[in-house]
Amino acid sequence: MPILFFVARILSLLRLPFAVLPYLIKLALRYFLKDAFEAFWSQYSVQAVRTAGDFFNLGCTAWIFYLFLASHSPSWLALLVDISAAAECVRLITEKGIMILSAFWQALPHRRIAQWMRGRTYSRPLQRYASYYVLTDAQRLERSMRRLKALVKLRGTDQTAAKMRYVTAFRIVPDGLGLRSGAVRDVARGEIFVHAGWSSNPDLLRGIALRRSPWIFDPRYLRRPFRYRTEANHLMTLLVFENACLCPLFAIYQFGHEIKSARYEIFFQFFRWSGVEIEPTVRANGTNRPDIVARILVSGWAKATTTPRPLWRDGEVIADLDGQPLPSALAIAERYTFPVKYVREVLIPKLLAAREKILQRSIYACRSQEPHRS
C-alpha cells in the first residue's frame, strides 16, 4: 500500500497549478470571515458549492493555461499542462466523485422504501437492504459497528483488530457541527462522531471508523506529542488502504483526498529539512489547527504559530496528579486525552508504581530519622 502514497504525492505535485485559484479564494474568505471561517467552511451548502467550484476550476484553469501558455510555448510545456489536468481529473473522480455518489445515496428515502418492502419476498441482498434501512439512525449505527467488528475479525489482520478495539461506538452529533476537522472523536470513550445521515452509507461508516480510531493517541503506537500532517495522517490513511476490502468506496475517496492534501505534508517536510518548523503539534484536546499556511498568510507568523498546550506525556500526567487522589481510568483519559484502554493497561500502573516509590522513600526517610536504640 505505500505505492498509493507515492502515486498520490506525485499527482499532488502535478495538480498544483489547479490548486492556486481555489486557495486564493479560501484565503480571501478566511481574511474577511476571521474566526467565523471554520463554521462557515464546514457547512454542507458550502461543501456543495466547493464541489461544483472544483469542476469549474478545472475548466477555467485549463482554459487559462492553454490560452496564455500552451499556444505560445513548446510542445513539451503543453504536455505538462495535459498531465497536470489529468492529475486533477483523477483527483476529482476519486475524491469528489465518491462524495457526490455518497451524498446522492444519503438523500434517497431509504427508510420509506424499506418500510414499503416489508412483508414482501425478495432476493437476499434486497432483504438485507430492507432489514437495515427500516431501522432508526441509532440502530443502523449500532448494527454497522457490530458488522465492522465482525468483518475485521474475518478479513482483517491482527494489527487491524487491535487498533479497532479502541473504537466502541458511533455518536450522532448535530449536522451544524463540522466533522471535516477539529473534534471528530471522543478519544477517551472511543466514540466516532457522525452525522445522522451518514447512517445511510455503511461503507462511509466503516471507513470513518478505520480512519478516526483513537488508537493513534496511544503512545505505544505514536509518541506524544505528535504532528498531524507529517506523522499521524500517514498512519491513519495507511490503515484505510490496508483494509480497502472493508470500505472500498471510502478507500477510493481517501486516495483522491491524499492527492489534494499531500502537498501540505510535502510543504511541511521541506521547511523541516530547511531547519524551520512551522507545523504545529496536535493540541491537548486532540484537535489539530487546520491549514496553518493560510493562518500564517492571513494572521501573520507570530499569531498563527503560537502553539497551545500539546498532548500530555505520561511523565507530565504523573507529575500533575502528584499529591491528588487517584481519579478513575475514564476521568484520567478524558482529562489528558488518552484512550481509556491505554490508561488502564499502562498509565495507571505507572501512576501506582510512582506513588509506591514515593511512599517507600517517605518510609525510609522516617526510619532514618528515628533515634537509634541501644
Side-chain angles (χ1 to χ4, degrees):
M1 290 307 172
I3 186 64
L4 293 179
F5 284 101
F6 176 76
V7 173
R9 277 149 183 73
I10 295 299
L11 293 177
S12 182
L13 293 176
L14 290 174
R15 70 164 291 269
L16 278 179
F18 290 88
V20 175
L21 182 58
Y23 200 71
L24 290 176
I25 295 174
K26 184 178 181 180
L27 285 177
L29 289 172
R30 183 179 287 279
Y31 177 80
F32 288 108
L33 295 177
K34 306 297 183 184
D35 294 337
F37 173 80
E38 297 299 342
F40 169 80
W41 198 246
S42 63
Q43 294 177 19
Y44 277 119
S45 57
V46 175
Q47 295 303 318
V49 172
R50 285 184 61 194
T51 299
D54 280 344
F55 286 95
F56 173 79
N57 173 67
L58 173 64
C60 181
T61 303
W63 177 78
I64 292 173
F65 273 111
Y66 286 121
L67 182 63
F68 293 100
L69 293 177
S71 59
H72 305 288
S73 301
S75 58
W76 63 266
L77 188 55
L79 178 61
L80 286 180
V81 173
D82 291 338
I83 293 174
S84 181
E88 177 67 354
C89 286
V90 172
R91 198 271 301 187
L92 291 176
I93 293 171
T94 53
E95 183 191 28
K96 298 301 182 180
I98 296 298
M99 289 177 63
I100 293 171
L101 181 62
S102 178
F104 171 76
W105 184 257
Q106 292 177 45
L108 295 176
H110 295 290
R111 186 170 291 113
R112 196 178 310 164
I113 296 172
Q115 290 172 344
W116 176 82
M117 293 173 62
R118 296 181 71 177
R120 293 174 171 84
T121 303
Y122 296 98
S123 62
R124 188 171 181 80
L126 289 178
Q127 289 177 0
R128 288 200 299 266
Y129 171 90
S131 65
Y132 178 79
Y133 285 103
V134 76
L135 301 175
T136 65
D137 294 333
Q139 290 171 334
R140 291 179 190 174
L141 295 177
E142 184 179 353
R143 177 179 288 191
S144 294
M145 181 58 66
R146 291 199 307 268
R147 176 64 174 167
L148 174 58
K149 295 295 182 75
L151 287 173
V152 168
K153 289 182 180 179
L154 182 65
R155 303 178 186 174
T157 63
D158 292 341
Q159 188 177 34
T160 299
K163 291 175 179 178
M164 288 309 297
R165 292 190 190 103
Y166 291 82
V167 180
T168 60
F170 295 109
R171 184 198 300 179
I172 296 177
V173 299
D175 288 346
L177 180 63
L179 294 178
R180 296 182 62 83
S181 60
V184 297
R185 65 177 74 79
D186 187 321
V187 175
R189 297 179 181 272
E191 296 175 343
I192 309 300
F193 299 162
V194 298
H195 292 151
W198 293 6
S199 67
S200 296
N201 191 341
D203 183 273
L204 171 62
L205 293 176
R206 291 193 291 270
I208 287 291
L210 287 165
R211 167 79 186 176
R212 295 177 175 175
S213 170
W215 68 271
I216 201 73
F217 291 89
D218 187 326
R220 291 174 291 187
Y221 289 104
L222 181 60
R223 62 104 183 94
R224 294 158 67 108
F226 58 80
R227 292 176 169 82
Y228 172 70
R229 287 288 183 189
T230 58
E231 294 177 326
N233 177 69
H234 179 89
L235 297 175
M236 295 186 297
T237 304
L238 183 61
L239 185 62
V240 174
F241 287 162
E242 289 174 342
N243 296 277
C245 61
L246 304 180
C247 51
L249 292 180
F250 187 86
I252 294 172
Y253 159 81
Q254 192 63 59
F255 176 72
H257 185 69
E258 282 298 303
I259 295 175
K260 181 180 73 172
S261 61
R263 69 181 190 268
Y264 293 108
E265 180 180 348
I266 297 170
F267 180 83
F268 289 139
Q269 291 285 15
F270 172 79
F271 273 88
R272 187 171 299 154
W273 293 332
S274 302
V276 180
E277 183 61 77
I278 65 173
E279 183 185 11
T281 57
V282 172
R283 292 179 282 193
N285 62 359
T287 62
N288 179 56
R289 301 183 72 181
D291 204 350
I292 189 66
V293 179
R295 292 176 182 273
I296 292 173
L297 294 176
V298 172
S299 304
W301 179 274
K303 184 177 179 180
T305 56
T306 300
T307 305
R309 178 69 171 81
L311 289 165
W312 291 75
R313 296 187 177 94
D314 291 9
E316 294 172 324
V317 174
I318 294 171
D320 192 56
L321 292 175
D322 184 32
Q324 301 180 32
L326 187 63
S328 67
L330 181 59
I332 294 173
E334 290 179 331
R335 180 173 175 179
Y336 300 106
T337 317
F338 283 97
V340 71
K341 185 177 186 292
Y342 176 78
V343 174
R344 289 173 178 153
E345 295 176 359
V346 178
L347 194 51
I348 284 184
K350 282 187 177 182
L351 284 163
L352 294 175
R355 295 189 176 199
E356 179 67 21
K357 188 178 294 186
I358 293 173
L359 179 60
Q360 293 295 335
R361 288 176 181 174
S362 300
I363 293 174
Y364 176 80
C366 291
R367 288 179 177 175
S368 63
Q369 294 176 2
E370 292 179 357
H372 296 285
R373 296 181 179 178
S374 57

